[in-house]
Amino acid sequence: MSAFEPEPAYWARLDLPASEADRAEDLAGLFRQLRVPAAVRHSQSEGGTFALVPLDDDGSPLEVVDTYGPELQWSRLDQDRLISGLNRLAGRGSTLAGERIEQLDDEPGVEAVLETAPVGSGHVDAIVWTTHEKPGVLEALAARFDMSFAAVDAGEMGLALTVHDPADRDRALTGGVWAMTDGIAMWRVGEETSAAFIHRRHAVVMTWRRPWLRVDPSKPGQVDHNGATVSAMLSDLVLDEADPAAWVERFRLDQERSAHLRALFRRGPHAAALHDLCAILRIHPSALLLLSNDEESYADRIVITARSLRQQFRDEMRAEVEAAAPEPSSFRRRHPRLWLALSAVVILGLVVFAATGWSDGRLTAWIPGLVALIWSASLVIDGSVRRARRGNSPHPAPARDGHDR
């Protein structure tokens, strides 16, 4: 192939307008018609229907030349043909490598222009992860990420956690709070389910999605100047089966369970994927109860609210001080109401005595009045301290059923 002829420099993503409808077969059919090699997939977690297509150094899509012979030849695709085909298939708004493909008008031969447009992304319907971390660490994580967690007992896996506020689901996934608990995370986006854990500082992710559709318009046996076929290019570009090696090592799977895991990874999206995964990895089924978003199915959950390490340290110090120096078991502590009544009688007597002495001209009459004032102030201060101690207890009762008490 001549150096001046176009050839694939990289593969770019082309997205149809965001939609739940699966248009992968239609898009693959369009690329077959245009003779554009492509890997096509519909994935709700990745924003809808999209394809990977070859571009040259100038960013122009390429087609395979319809010719016989052993040599694979490329040509730049007429963008008007691509745009009109995409518009017929899905309407305006398709994007190529993050830029919207638009036509200025309907006149033939008008050059296409590119405008910046974001690529759509899926919304997390539910997320749950497991952890062996202690409540104090989880409270500190909640403070760091400004969210609360709902938790249930997960047996040998420790706790199963999800976000208390559904609005935090996306942030819990993209923010990586699950990755800081050294457990396994599972989430749903529509019919697609995913599972992930951290292995040697890297996220290992498995998502059950619909398989790739490969479009190969070349003739049998045609190769490029490197000896590669279109089929080999597409195989290198996309892999349908996840590598179970990291899963086997992380969960110490024997040969039988490893075989079951590999078979599970080859399956497409199905409702029982995470149930089967939990059975293989021996994860307690309570984690899946949180993933169902059915509040009645995990009524025994507790809510872990945010509490920073500084707050925890202050509360623990207060508890230690109070434990080391408990309040004295005096008469006024044992009988606070009787002590208040007696104090009121004594204070009233001192006030009367001071007023009588002052009217008789005794200079020392101010002394019982001062004693009455100090006694009254001590009663007010003592009541405030007792109320503050009750309100700042370092171990409040956990809230249940998703409501703080």
Side-chain angles (χ1 to χ4, degrees):
M1 178 178 291
S2 169
F4 297 101
E5 293 179 344
E7 60 180 4
Y10 59 97
W11 293 73
R13 173 166 165 155
L14 185 149
D15 290 81
L16 295 186
S19 172
E20 294 184 3
D22 184 354
R23 294 174 291 194
E25 289 283 359
D26 295 333
L27 184 57
L30 173 63
F31 286 134
R32 289 190 189 97
Q33 179 184 353
L34 297 176
R35 303 192 57 79
V36 175
V40 185
R41 168 179 266 173
H42 178 80
S43 172
Q44 291 172 294
S45 61
E46 295 186 68
T49 302
F50 65 97
L52 303 178
V53 295
L55 306 184
D56 65 7
D57 286 325
D58 296 330
S60 298
L62 297 178
E63 62 176 329
V64 171
V65 178
D66 186 10
T67 182
Y68 289 91
E71 184 180 4
L72 183 64
Q73 298 183 31
W74 300 88
S75 175
R76 290 188 179 91
L77 177 66
D78 181 1
Q79 287 205 19
D80 287 344
R81 293 176 60 207
L82 174 61
I83 293 169
S84 61
L86 292 173
N87 288 344
R88 287 194 307 270
L89 174 62
R92 297 179 182 273
S94 298
T95 64
L96 177 60
E99 296 183 317
R100 184 183 308 147
I101 304 173
E102 270 192 27
Q103 201 164 9
L104 293 178
D105 55 41
D106 295 330
E107 294 295 327
V110 175
E111 183 179 359
V113 297
L114 300 177
E115 295 182 0
T116 301
V119 176
S121 59
H123 172 71
V124 178
D125 296 322
I127 181 172
V128 63
W129 62 95
T130 63
T131 180
H132 285 97
E133 297 289 0
K134 296 181 179 179
V137 175
L138 300 178
E139 291 171 346
L141 280 177
R144 174 176 175 178
F145 287 88
D146 190 26
M147 63 178 65
S148 297
F149 306 131
V152 295
D153 184 12
E156 295 181 359
M157 299 298 294
L159 292 176
L161 297 179
T162 188
V163 289
H164 184 209
D165 185 354
D168 291 329
R169 290 172 188 159
D170 289 346
R171 193 157 58 91
L173 178 61
T174 58
V177 59
W178 64 271
M180 304 185 71
T181 60
D182 194 28
I184 181 170
M186 295 172 283
W187 62 92
R188 289 192 296 105
V189 179
E191 65 177 0
E192 295 180 353
T193 52
S194 302
F197 63 92
I198 299 299
H199 181 68
R200 297 177 181 175
R201 298 186 179 182
H202 296 284
V204 179
V205 184
M206 174 58 194
T207 300
W208 285 268
R209 290 172 289 211
R210 297 175 187 176
W212 289 98
L213 301 180
R214 294 175 171 86
V215 178
D216 181 1
S218 65
K219 298 294 191 298
Q222 287 185 330
V223 297
D224 66 3
H225 64 285
N226 292 318
T229 64
V230 171
S231 178
M233 296 177 191
L234 294 174
S235 296
D236 292 339
L237 188 65
V238 294
L239 297 174
D240 279 328
E241 183 180 349
D243 183 4
W247 298 79
V248 172
E249 179 181 347
R250 169 68 171 77
F251 295 97
R252 300 179 181 178
L253 302 183
D254 56 26
Q255 186 174 359
E256 181 181 2
R257 288 197 291 158
S258 298
H260 290 325
L261 183 70
R262 184 177 292 276
L264 178 62
F265 281 1
R266 287 196 293 265
R267 297 170 65 182
H270 58 289
L274 292 182
H275 290 81
D276 295 345
L277 180 68
C278 288
I280 294 171
L281 303 184
R282 296 174 182 172
I283 297 174
H284 197 277
S286 60
L288 297 178
L289 294 179
L290 289 179
L291 200 62
S292 69
N293 286 340
D294 182 6
E295 293 192 5
E296 294 182 359
S297 65
Y298 53 96
D300 292 334
R301 66 177 178 171
I302 63 174
V303 175
I304 300 174
T305 57
R307 198 160 64 110
S308 67
L309 291 175
R310 180 177 298 178
Q311 290 175 316
Q312 295 182 46
F313 178 77
R314 183 170 59 247
D315 293 342
E316 291 171 1
M317 289 297 296
R318 183 186 296 113
E320 291 181 6
V321 170
E322 291 179 352
E327 296 179 349
S329 181
S330 59
F331 174 81
R332 69 173 184 171
R333 301 296 182 190
R334 294 195 305 270
H335 309 284
R337 295 184 179 179
L338 181 57
W339 170 255
L340 184 62
L342 292 176
S343 297
V345 172
V346 174
I347 291 172
L348 180 61
L350 290 172
V351 171
V352 171
F353 184 75
T356 303
W358 189 264
S359 63
D360 292 340
R362 293 196 299 271
L363 297 179
T364 56
W366 62 272
I367 296 177
L370 179 61
V371 173
L373 180 62
I374 295 174
W375 200 319
S376 300
S378 68
L379 291 178
V380 174
I381 295 173
D382 184 60
S384 299
V385 170
R386 282 189 283 109
R387 286 193 298 272
R389 284 175 174 170
R390 286 197 300 267
N392 292 328
S393 173
H395 302 291
R400 301 250 176 200
D401 299 331
H403 300 286
D404 298 334
R405 295 179 179 174

